[in-house]
Amino acid sequence: MKKFSLSFCFLILFGLLAIFNCNYSQEVFADNLQGDGSLASPYIISSVEDFNYVASQINAGNSNYITTNYKLINELNFNNTTFQGLGNETNKFQGVFDGGGNTLKNVKINVDASTSADYGIFNYTYNATIKNLAVEIEYIFESEDTNNSNINIGGIVGNGINTTITNCKVVNSLYAFDNETQTKTKANIYSNLTFGGIVGTSEGISVHDCYALVEFSCEQYGNSLISSYFGGIVGRANGGEIYNVYVAPTQQTISSLTGVIADKENMYLYINNASFANVYFGGIAGYVSGRNFTMFNTLFIGYLKANNSVAYGGLIGKLHSSETLMPLSAKITQSMY
C-alpha cells in the first residue's frame, strides 16, 4: 500500500508541473549544459540547440548566462535557418566565448531596416572576450524607405564596448535578395548603416590576429542626416586597437598574406543623391575617432568600386578632424593596402 501511495504522489506531481507550465523541460535542458560557467569549467556548447538556448537566456536578461564562460566544442551548421545572436542593448554579453577553433556555418540573418538594431553572432557586447572562432555569415538587407533607423552589422560583433576579439576568422557578405528571380542583388540603404567584416560599431575594442573575407553590394540613399560606414575589419571605431589582421575578397583569391589574384570587384558602394549622404569606406576601418587608437601590421587586399562621393581609404576612410574627437595618439604603422 505504501508503494502505491508513493507512485501516486509522483504521478500527481508531474501532472501539476504539466498543468501549471513550470518550465520543467527548460530547466532540464539548462542542466544538460556541461560545466558550471566558470573560467576553469566553462559551459560547453556542442549543438545548435545549446547555442540557441544560451542566446535566449542572455537576451532575456538571465544574469547566470550574461557574464559567463563558454566553450564551443563542435562545428555548428545553422543551415540558413532563423538565427538569434547573443546579447542586445539592454542585456549585453559580458562573458568569455572560446570557439575552440570551430566554425559557425551557414548563418543567415535578415536585417530589418525599418528598426534600429545591432546584428552579429554577438549583437551587443561589453567587457567581453571572443576568441578562436570561425564564422561563415550572410546578411540579407530588407530595405525600407526610411531615414530613421541606425543599424550596426558585424561578422562577429554588431556593437561592442571594451571587447577583445582574437584569433578569429570571418567570411562575411551583405546583399539583398530578389524573391522573384531567387538571386542576390544590391542592397538599397536608406538607414544610417555601420558595417564591418568583424565588428560594426566599437568603443575601446581590441581586434587582433584575425582575418576577414568580405563582400558587399550597396546603394546608399538619404538626406543630410545619413552617414554610413563600411570597414573590412571595423565599420566605426572610437579608440581601441587593431593589429595582426588582414582583409581580402574571398578565400579562392588568396595566394598568400602579401598578395592575391582577384578577379572581381567584391566591394561595391554607390551613392544616390551624393551631395546629401555621407558614406565612408576603409580597407581596415571605415571611421576612427576617440582619444587613443593604435593600428599596426594590417593588410587590405580587395577591389572597391565606389561611385558618387564615397570617401574611402585603403586603410581608414576617415579620421575625425574635430579637436575633441580626433585621435590624439593615433599610431598607424606596418600597414599596407
Side-chain angles (χ1 to χ4, degrees):
M1 184 64 184
K2 289 182 179 179
K3 190 177 294 184
F4 171 80
S5 298
L6 186 60
S7 299
F8 183 74
C9 288
F10 275 115
L11 184 62
I12 294 296
L13 176 60
F14 282 111
L16 289 172
L17 285 172
I19 291 171
F20 291 105
N21 189 23
C22 292
N23 295 322
Y24 173 76
S25 62
Q26 190 180 69
E27 290 304 316
V28 169
F29 189 22
D31 291 341
N32 284 340
L33 286 177
Q34 299 177 39
D36 58 18
S38 66
L39 190 61
S41 180
Y43 280 133
I44 300 299
I45 296 177
S46 61
S47 67
V48 171
E49 291 75 20
D50 289 348
F51 185 95
N52 290 340
Y53 176 77
V54 168
S56 67
Q57 294 302 302
I58 292 172
N59 296 342
N62 188 331
S63 59
N64 293 325
Y65 293 85
I66 289 176
T67 58
T68 306
N69 299 273
Y70 298 92
K71 179 71 175 288
L72 179 65
I73 63 170
N74 291 324
E75 176 183 282
L76 302 187
N77 192 336
F78 288 86
N79 291 313
N80 299 321
T81 56
T82 301
F83 181 84
Q84 179 182 196
L86 280 66
N88 51 51
E89 187 173 4
T90 303
N91 304 303
K92 303 173 182 65
F93 176 70
Q94 301 174 44
V96 175
F97 190 99
D98 184 353
N102 295 294
T103 303
L104 305 182
K105 298 185 65 175
N106 293 316
V107 178
K108 185 171 287 187
I109 298 178
N110 294 319
V111 178
D112 179 7
S114 65
T115 305
S116 297
D118 306 293
Y119 295 91
I121 300 300
F122 301 83
N123 300 321
Y124 213 125
T125 63
Y126 177 74
N127 288 343
T129 297
I130 300 146
K131 59 185 179 181
N132 309 323
L133 180 65
V135 175
E136 297 175 7
I137 190 166
E138 293 184 342
Y139 286 100
I140 302 175
F141 200 89
E142 299 176 350
S143 301
E144 291 286 343
D145 188 1
T146 176
N147 298 321
N148 299 321
S149 60
N150 297 285
I151 298 172
N152 299 303
I153 297 174
I156 292 182
V157 174
N159 199 327
I161 302 172
N162 298 336
T163 293
T164 298
I165 301 173
T166 180
N167 195 30
C168 293
K169 55 184 179 181
V170 178
V171 180
N172 188 2
S173 61
L174 171 67
Y175 57 88
F177 191 78
D178 189 322
N179 290 319
E180 291 186 6
T181 62
Q182 293 293 297
T183 58
K184 297 179 182 179
T185 184
K186 73 177 186 303
N188 294 319
I189 311 296
Y190 295 89
S191 312
N192 296 286
L193 173 64
T194 302
F195 172 84
I198 292 180
V199 184
T201 293
S202 70
E203 182 176 343
I205 205 166
S206 175
V207 181
H208 60 89
D209 299 289
C210 300
Y211 74 80
L213 310 179
V214 183
E215 293 186 293
F216 59 80
S217 179
C218 302
E219 184 166 355
Q220 179 79 59
Y221 298 80
N223 57 31
S224 59
L225 299 178
I226 294 297
S227 294
S228 289
Y229 309 92
F230 297 81
I233 297 294
V234 178
R236 182 168 179 161
N238 182 21
E241 59 183 10
I242 302 173
Y243 62 93
N244 296 346
V245 302
Y246 73 90
V247 180
T250 60
Q251 187 71 51
Q252 288 73 25
T253 63
I254 297 176
S255 60
S256 71
L257 288 182
T258 57
V260 301
I261 302 173
D263 58 358
K264 63 178 179 177
E265 295 158 336
N266 68 300
M267 300 176 182
Y268 177 84
L269 284 174
Y270 182 86
I271 311 305
N272 207 355
N273 298 330
S275 60
F276 301 114
N278 299 308
V279 178
Y280 305 93
F281 169 83
I284 302 298
Y287 173 92
V288 173
S289 64
R291 309 312 284 161
N292 296 285
F293 176 76
T294 301
M295 185 170 77
F296 65 90
N297 198 25
T298 68
L299 174 66
F300 167 67
I301 308 169
Y303 280 81
L304 171 69
K305 182 177 182 180
N307 294 335
N308 290 17
S309 302
V310 175
Y312 60 90
L315 297 175
I316 296 174
K318 180 180 180 180
L319 277 170
H320 204 290
S321 58
S322 77
E323 184 176 349
T324 56
L325 293 177
M326 181 176 61
L328 285 180
S329 59
K331 299 177 181 177
I332 302 172
T333 59
Q334 299 178 23
S335 297
M336 62 184 296
Y337 59 92

